[in-house]
Amino acid sequence: MSQKKSRGGAAAGDDPDELSRSPLQAVLLADSFTLKFRPITLERPKVLLPLVNVPMIDYTLSWLETSGVEEVFVFCAAHAQQVKEHLAVAGWSGKPAAREMAVTAVESHDAISAGDALRVMYGRGVINGDFVLISGDTISNMSLKDALQEHKDRRKKDPLAVMTMIIKHSKPSTLTHQTRLGNDEIFMAIAPETKELLYYEDKTDNSHLCVAIDKDILANNPTLQLHNNMEDCYIDVCSPEVLSLFTDNFDYQHLRRHFVKGLLVDDIMGYKIYTHEIRSSYAARIDSFRSYDAVSKDIIQRWTYPMVPDVLSFGNCHEMKLHRQGIYKASDVTLSHSAHIGANSVIGSATSIGEQCKISNSVIGEGCSIGKNVLIHGSYIWDNVIIEDGCKVSNSLVCDDVHLRAGAIVEPGCILSFKIKVGKNVVVPAYSKVSLLEKPSNEDSDEELEYADTNSVVTDSPPFSSMKSNADHPTIISEDDDLGASETGTSGVLGYIWASGDTGIQDKWRQSIAPVPKEKLEELQHAIFFDDDEGSEEDLNNRPSEADRDNDSEISVVEDDDYTKFEKEVEETFQRALDGVHQDNLILEINALRLSYSLQHADCAGAVFYSIMRGALVAAQSTNDSLLKKTADALTKWKDLLRNYTKTVDEEMEILLKFEEMCQDITKEFAPLFSKILPYLYDKEVVSEDAILRWAEEKENADESDKVFVKQCDVFIQWLKEAEEEEDDEDDEEEE
């Protein structure tokens, strides 16, 4: 372990070169200090919840180890003993740990926020130089090398550069104002040359059409980039001063709303925060059940490689093998011959699956027993769960040791916490949260501070079994009682249903595992159109006039190319379709995006085609199938979606031009296959004979470098021309 330099770590005036020679350290927060994963986190810490059958914290520690971090301090608050036991069992800590990275648990039962945690770390005096600050629910495969070097280079020139935040592109939906991870959109102002963060707002009011930025920021920065298309990865490279700043400011509780915003508006000390944008790498924090679902799908689809099930192995985790269509299975799974496992599914060790079962887009844990004729879609079934014959589970999360009796139905968006028992033929209503523990009475809002799970008081709440009852003194059904129920009733469930918070059932979809309901998408889209048609005059009146604005007309805002942003959004929207979103909903979202960017139908054709081909490439890289086969499968599956955007020859031409561009630059892997994929597009009626011949004709006078793919397809193009001539001859004969 590194030697101490001072009680609080390195001082601000320490030589940056000396700091750069210090072993790279990290502080991992093993408590998110939020309540979003309740009721589950009343019994188990969030960082130990299984993510594709591996505890979240193992992904984070594995990434830190591969990134060259030599020493990690794991800060534990709620359920600290569980975290420490896991670190030992998984081989991260303890004497037998044969690893290059040292892992030490730091425990405090008094910390109720991230700010408190960092104040404790300062008091321990164990941080000796620049360090990585990360939450134990963060998944990444990025290289830290560039971000670390940028931070160190800046520190040499400016000791006031105390933090570098990792960000990535992730445009929120124009309908929901959320990213695909379920996070609310963030507004950032960044200096384009230096990448200094000038403004940060994660609590935006979407009812207004403008963002209020201090005029001093504009006056001091003639050019800045204003983003609402960036995701905060919650990975920070910090100088030791960050710890002392938290100690000096006890009102700093939240890392972003208090610390980051506090530094940005502090004109006295002059500390600065910078950003580092990652492009091709992956980084995401699991902040809600929706992001749990999205990141799980990303892992299964191998966007997080090498952080994938068949590569990672910790402690007692069993080896997983990757099969076709993104199906992962342990070697000792018992699978009936008539059972069907669909694409993008994971089946854990010692699990048995009965006859006529259908499982798709789901993760099944270890030691589960699944009976006959069970349907499971888009769900997460943890360890030792019993699901009897005829049950249906849709887009829900089922924790350890849950027992579903025959014929039970779990509707979308449900959370069944540990050891819940559901009776025969019981229907668990959509978005229900059920736990054996009663809901605490003094839950502090996630929107105020990040509080630990240890600070709550339990109060009386009605049991689930009496949800439709008006009984004055409801009682929980005991384990010995018969859990039978009517076909549509909600009695017969052992546990308490947790009432909705202030948002009510209307907004439950925002943080749910279940896809956004079609009715909600239509409602949101209607609201956009209504605002455009009816609210335009009011909006214009509310906007500041030219005379009201700052007189400095030299201020400019640099924005990304609209089509580039649109294309990225379409790709992210398409990824949700791979997760099980219905095609009709996908078209609704894409059309809304097109309208918001004022683009043409042809722009959609190119963007959708790119998303489909990109998905095929990723699928081929994750299986033993050839790229050509995966492309054919993808085009067959999504041909109707493409046809929706190729109503004219111009729109079909857009696909051909986009394909050329991809083969030349973005996805060169398709270049040798161009001549084989083009006939397939023709056969599937995605592009017509007229579009292909027109494309070839327009290339006749082009440079040789632009004729590469036309020449590659020469035989096929010649065949089309001859077929067209034969049709013309037949038409002439008929006229004669």
Side-chain angles (χ1 to χ4, degrees):
M1 188 177 292
S2 306
Q3 298 296 314
K4 296 181 184 178
K5 285 187 178 180
S6 66
R7 182 175 180 274
D14 282 357
D15 182 5
D17 289 330
E18 185 178 353
L19 291 177
S20 67
R21 291 192 295 270
S22 301
L24 182 58
Q25 298 175 300
V27 173
L28 185 156
L29 300 178
D31 194 322
S32 63
F33 303 104
T34 63
L35 310 175
K36 292 181 180 179
F37 274 76
R38 284 191 171 187
I40 299 173
T41 49
L42 284 177
E43 301 178 66
R44 184 183 297 179
K46 180 181 171 186
V47 296
L48 296 189
L49 302 185
L51 184 71
V52 193
N53 292 343
V54 173
M56 292 183 194
I57 195 172
D58 287 342
Y59 290 96
T60 312
L61 288 170
S62 181
W63 173 71
L64 289 172
E65 186 175 42
T66 59
S67 298
V69 174
E70 298 174 59
E71 189 173 26
V72 179
F73 295 96
V74 179
F75 184 86
C76 312
H79 306 295
Q81 189 58 36
Q82 289 188 43
V83 175
K84 291 192 294 183
E85 289 175 358
H86 173 79
L87 293 176
V89 171
W92 290 111
S93 65
K95 295 179 181 179
R99 296 181 180 275
E100 296 181 1
M101 184 176 74
V103 178
T104 304
V106 177
E107 183 177 355
S108 173
H109 295 290
D110 297 325
I112 60 172
S113 70
D116 287 344
L118 296 183
R119 283 184 277 274
V120 171
M121 291 306 304
Y122 178 85
R124 297 295 174 95
V126 293
I127 300 301
N128 305 311
D130 293 340
F131 66 98
V132 179
L133 178 60
I134 190 171
S135 177
D137 50 14
T138 303
I139 315 300
S140 181
N141 62 5
M142 68 169 284
S143 170
L144 265 178
K145 182 180 178 181
D146 291 342
L148 285 168
Q149 193 59 52
E150 287 177 11
H151 181 79
K152 290 177 179 179
D153 290 344
R154 275 194 289 261
R155 291 274 292 158
K156 291 178 182 179
K157 299 175 183 178
D158 185 0
L160 296 177
V162 295
M163 178 185 281
T164 299
M165 292 170 47
I166 308 301
I167 60 175
K168 70 171 184 177
H169 187 282
S170 184
K171 185 71 171 69
S173 166
T174 54
L175 294 180
T176 65
H177 295 287
Q178 289 183 313
T179 67
R180 62 181 294 269
L181 295 177
N183 300 326
D184 292 333
E185 62 184 339
I186 296 172
F187 280 88
M188 299 183 191
I190 299 173
E193 296 296 327
T194 64
K195 304 303 178 185
E196 182 182 354
L197 182 67
L198 305 172
Y199 175 84
Y200 184 99
E201 180 55 66
D202 63 347
K203 296 290 293 177
T204 55
D205 183 357
N206 295 312
S207 64
H208 293 79
L209 297 178
C210 58
V211 176
I213 299 179
D214 194 302
K215 63 181 181 180
D216 289 339
I217 296 177
L218 300 177
N220 297 328
N221 298 275
T223 303
L224 58 83
Q225 291 177 323
L226 183 61
H227 298 276
N228 76 327
N229 60 350
M230 291 295 176
E231 185 90 44
D232 187 347
C233 300
Y234 282 87
I235 301 173
D236 304 319
V237 180
C238 304
S239 70
E241 286 83 2
V242 168
L243 298 181
S244 62
L245 284 169
F246 272 94
T247 302
D248 295 339
N249 297 272
F250 274 84
D251 55 336
Y252 286 172
Q253 302 290 342
H254 195 287
L255 290 176
R256 295 298 187 252
R257 288 172 218 154
H258 298 153
F259 177 71
V260 170
K261 290 184 180 180
L263 291 194
L264 292 179
V265 299
D266 186 355
D267 297 329
I268 299 175
M269 300 302 294
Y271 288 112
K272 300 173 185 176
I273 299 174
Y274 291 83
T275 60
H276 174 83
E277 182 183 353
I278 58 174
R279 300 183 183 274
S280 58
S281 302
Y282 186 91
R285 184 184 180 193
I286 299 167
D287 190 44
S288 65
F289 286 114
R290 184 169 295 282
S291 56
Y292 178 92
D293 175 61
V295 174
S296 296
K297 297 293 195 298
D298 291 342
I299 292 171
I300 294 170
Q301 295 169 13
R302 304 180 79 79
W303 292 96
T304 60
Y305 186 88
M307 307 298 169
V308 291
D310 57 316
V311 176
L312 292 179
S313 179
F314 306 101
N316 297 324
C317 292
H318 293 82
E319 182 179 349
M320 302 292 292
K321 185 177 180 181
L322 174 61
H323 301 266
R324 293 186 176 187
Q325 295 186 311
I327 299 172
Y328 300 81
K329 287 192 296 184
S331 58
D332 58 350
V333 169
T334 303
L335 183 64
S336 171
H337 291 295
S338 60
H340 174 73
I341 308 299
N344 300 319
S345 295
V346 179
I347 312 297
S349 174
T351 285
S352 63
I353 300 175
E355 298 175 3
Q356 302 298 323
C357 285
K358 292 183 179 180
I359 299 173
S360 60
N361 292 298
S362 298
V363 177
I364 310 298
E366 298 184 356
C368 294
S369 176
I370 300 175
K372 302 175 183 178
N373 299 302
V374 173
L375 300 179
I376 301 175
H377 174 73
S379 297
Y380 301 91
I381 312 298
W382 291 359
D383 296 343
N384 303 312
V385 172
I386 299 174
I387 301 179
E388 296 184 4
D389 299 350
C391 291
K392 296 180 182 179
V393 183
S394 302
N395 300 106
S396 293
L397 190 152
V398 179
C399 295
D400 295 356
D401 301 308
V402 168
H403 188 166
L404 303 184
R405 297 286 177 87
I409 297 176
V410 181
E411 294 186 338
C414 289
I415 306 296
L416 303 185
S417 194
F418 302 98
K419 298 182 180 180
I420 291 297
K421 298 183 186 299
V422 179
K424 292 181 180 180
N425 301 318
V426 168
V427 177
V428 183
Y431 303 112
S432 298
K433 289 184 179 181
V434 192
S435 174
L436 291 181
L437 301 179
E438 297 170 296
K439 187 175 183 179
S441 62
N442 66 334
E443 286 193 341
D444 297 285
S445 170
D446 293 340
E447 306 304 327
E448 297 299 328
L449 291 178
E450 299 174 320
Y451 283 106
D453 286 339
T454 56
N455 215 31
S456 301
V457 177
V458 173
T459 187
D460 291 337
S461 58
F464 192 94
S465 59
S466 66
M467 194 176 116
K468 290 189 176 181
S469 171
N470 293 319
D472 293 332
H473 302 286
T475 56
I476 302 176
I477 298 175
S478 70
E479 294 187 27
D480 297 329
D481 289 336
D482 181 11
L483 293 179
S486 63
E487 187 172 333
T488 59
T490 55
S491 60
V493 177
L494 178 64
Y496 289 89
I497 185 167
W498 282 35
S500 303
D502 294 337
T503 57
I505 195 168
Q506 295 298 323
D507 286 336
K508 283 188 174 183
W509 58 270
R510 285 190 172 275
Q511 302 298 336
S512 170
I513 286 174
V516 181
K518 182 179 179 180
E519 314 81 67
K520 176 57 66 174
L521 287 175
E522 292 174 344
E523 176 187 328
L524 293 169
Q525 188 176 32
H526 174 74
I528 289 177
F529 293 144
F530 181 80
D531 289 343
D532 288 343
D533 294 338
E534 304 294 335
S536 56
E537 181 177 347
E538 180 182 350
D539 294 337
L540 286 173
N541 291 335
N542 288 333
R543 294 176 186 173
S545 66
E546 293 294 331
D548 295 332
R549 296 174 185 168
D550 195 275
N551 292 328
D552 189 357
S553 59
E554 298 300 317
I555 301 297
S556 63
V557 177
V558 178
E559 297 182 352
D560 292 340
D561 172 67
D562 276 350
Y563 181 76
T564 301
K565 293 193 291 185
F566 170 73
E567 187 175 67
K568 289 179 180 177
E569 286 197 60
V570 170
E571 184 180 6
E572 292 174 359
T573 303
F574 182 75
Q575 284 300 313
R576 291 195 288 273
L578 295 178
D579 297 348
V581 175
H582 194 276
Q583 185 168 302
D584 290 344
N585 294 355
L586 177 61
I587 292 172
L588 272 175
E589 289 203 48
I590 294 174
N591 288 343
L593 288 174
R594 179 179 68 82
L595 292 170
S596 68
Y597 280 99
S598 300
L599 295 175
Q600 302 299 315
H601 219 246
D603 296 317
C604 292
V608 170
F609 179 75
Y610 169 77
S611 300
I612 293 171
M613 299 296 280
R614 169 68 179 164
L617 178 60
V618 172
Q621 291 173 343
S622 65
T623 67
N624 296 323
D625 289 342
S626 68
L627 178 57
L628 184 60
K629 182 181 183 304
K630 282 296 179 186
T631 304
D633 292 344
L635 290 173
T636 299
K637 180 177 180 179
W638 299 105
K639 63 181 184 295
D640 291 337
L641 177 65
L642 279 170
R643 288 174 185 165
N644 190 71
Y645 297 104
T646 53
K647 306 293 186 182
T648 67
V649 172
D650 286 338
E651 291 163 354
E652 293 171 357
M653 282 280 292
E654 186 65 29
I655 285 183
L656 296 175
L657 295 174
K658 187 65 182 181
F659 194 18
E660 271 193 302
E661 176 190 329
M662 292 170 60
C663 292
Q664 291 170 342
D665 182 24
I666 311 169
T667 51
K668 295 181 180 179
E669 295 89 343
F670 285 112
L673 304 176
F674 194 100
S675 61
K676 296 180 179 179
I677 294 174
L678 182 61
Y680 200 84
L681 291 170
Y682 173 75
D683 290 339
K684 294 298 177 183
E685 299 180 352
V686 174
V687 294
S688 65
E689 174 185 328
D690 291 341
I692 296 172
L693 294 179
R694 179 175 153 190
W695 167 69
E697 182 181 349
E698 290 183 359
K699 295 288 183 180
E700 288 180 359
N701 298 321
D703 295 335
E704 288 302 313
S705 60
D706 290 333
K707 295 181 180 179
V708 173
F709 298 111
V710 171
K711 289 184 175 181
Q712 192 183 121
C713 301
D714 187 59
V715 174
F716 177 64
I717 293 171
Q718 192 60 38
W719 176 79
L720 288 178
K721 288 180 178 178
E722 291 173 358
E724 185 181 41
E725 290 173 359
E726 289 177 5
E727 288 181 5
D728 290 341
D729 292 341
E730 290 176 2
D731 291 340
D732 291 340
E733 290 176 4
E734 289 178 3
E735 289 178 2
E736 292 177 359

